Amino acid sequence: MKRAVLISGQAWTVAKRKRLFDMLRRYGDAIRFYIPFLWNNDPITYQIFRDTRLSARLKSAAFQQARHIIASTRASESATGKAASQPEFPTNTAILDAKNCRLRLEARGGLFDLFIDVKVLHNDWITLPCKATAVLRKRLSVPGATLTAGAQVYSGHLVLWVDIPEPKNSPGNREIGVDVGVNKLIATSDGAKLGADFKAVSAAVMRKRPGSKSKLASRRRRDQFIRRTINQ
């Protein structure tokens, strides 16, 4: 099973935050561009998005993320029997695999012990220094646990995943799939929905002027909301 872990970006420099923000904005634009075509079942490929600042691999990741949003909406429509409208994508967040995001976890002791390389605009990379949390270390201490390649990237924090083996000789255990979304922060395969107010919390961040104190405060409230939801 996969368990999500929130990693703060408090130590990232202003310059790195700006480069990450610029990439996420273009990445979000790509997703919003793809969604209407996919919703209408138009035959398209990721290359149709012409912004040359976004690499082919990032466009491909955005295309797959848009497809996942459409598939999740269609599945919800089928399960509820209610017609769904075309989904929106208000929060610029990127779910990146190992081709676009590399993780390096080092031994304890230094100021930073977790480094995330993220592909940004113009096919360039930035390294984001982080501190591995006690939650991350605890989950990785489980025998057989591994850090999943990739991350979900936001402008001020990351979500990583730890793959933890199911306990043996426990016939009562069952797998629960976890989906990180936009309207709800987390939805499990058994129907539980966590973080129902995530869309409103994220929208509050988007409305604030970049660099303002209210923007910083709204980001802190969002991070606290995510942390409470993931660790509950």
Side-chain angles (χ1 to χ4, degrees):
M1 61 180 176
K2 292 188 184 297
R3 299 297 302 272
V5 180
L6 178 68
I7 302 295
S8 172
Q10 185 177 2
W12 303 343
T13 64
V14 173
K16 289 185 177 182
R17 284 177 181 271
K18 184 180 185 306
R19 296 185 71 186
L20 186 62
F21 176 85
D22 290 342
M23 182 278 284
L24 290 173
R25 182 177 58 180
R26 300 299 177 187
Y27 188 96
D29 288 343
I31 290 179
R32 287 183 284 271
F33 176 83
Y34 294 134
I35 282 177
F37 292 100
L38 295 172
W39 184 252
N40 294 317
N41 295 314
D42 294 333
I44 64 165
T45 62
Y46 72 84
Q47 291 97 334
I48 194 174
F49 186 67
R50 299 296 185 184
D51 191 329
T52 57
R53 290 165 291 189
L54 209 61
S55 70
R57 284 184 172 177
L58 283 175
K59 289 179 185 178
S60 178
F63 185 71
Q64 294 303 321
Q65 194 168 332
R67 290 182 62 183
H68 178 73
I69 292 170
I70 297 297
S72 297
T73 304
R74 294 297 189 194
S76 176
E77 183 179 51
S78 176
T80 61
K82 298 180 180 180
S85 58
Q86 177 180 298
E88 298 178 353
F89 188 71
T91 302
N92 292 329
T93 176
I95 300 176
L96 305 179
D97 61 12
K99 294 177 181 179
N100 296 303
C101 181
R102 302 186 295 244
L103 311 178
R104 305 194 312 275
L105 180 61
E106 300 182 352
R108 301 173 186 262
L111 181 61
F112 304 112
D113 52 13
L114 177 63
F115 299 88
I116 295 93
D117 298 326
V118 177
K119 183 170 284 189
V120 291
L121 298 181
H122 306 293
N123 212 26
D124 201 1
W125 292 80
I126 58 173
T127 298
L128 303 173
C130 303
K131 188 69 176 177
T133 64
V135 173
L136 178 60
R137 294 284 185 183
K138 179 179 179 180
R139 290 178 178 170
L140 286 173
S141 69
V142 176
T146 57
L147 189 60
T148 302
Q152 180 157 12
V153 182
Y154 296 82
S155 59
H157 65 277
L158 302 157
V159 175
L160 306 182
W161 295 278
V162 178
D163 194 359
I164 301 177
E166 288 286 351
K168 295 181 180 180
N169 302 321
S170 299
N173 288 344
R174 59 192 179 90
E175 293 185 356
I176 298 179
V178 176
D179 180 27
V180 179
V182 174
N183 292 334
K184 308 279 191 311
L185 179 59
I186 296 174
T188 64
S189 58
D190 61 358
K193 292 181 174 59
L194 308 177
D197 297 327
F198 183 57
K199 183 176 182 180
V201 173
S202 297
V205 177
M206 299 295 290
R207 288 195 299 267
K208 305 301 182 182
R209 181 170 57 84
S212 65
K213 292 183 179 179
S214 59
K215 183 83 168 182
L216 180 60
S218 60
R219 281 178 175 169
R220 287 173 178 166
R221 286 192 291 270
R222 178 196 60 193
D223 292 350
Q224 291 171 355
F225 177 86
I226 293 172
R227 189 177 298 108
R228 286 197 306 268
T229 302
I230 289 176
N231 294 319
Q232 68 181 13

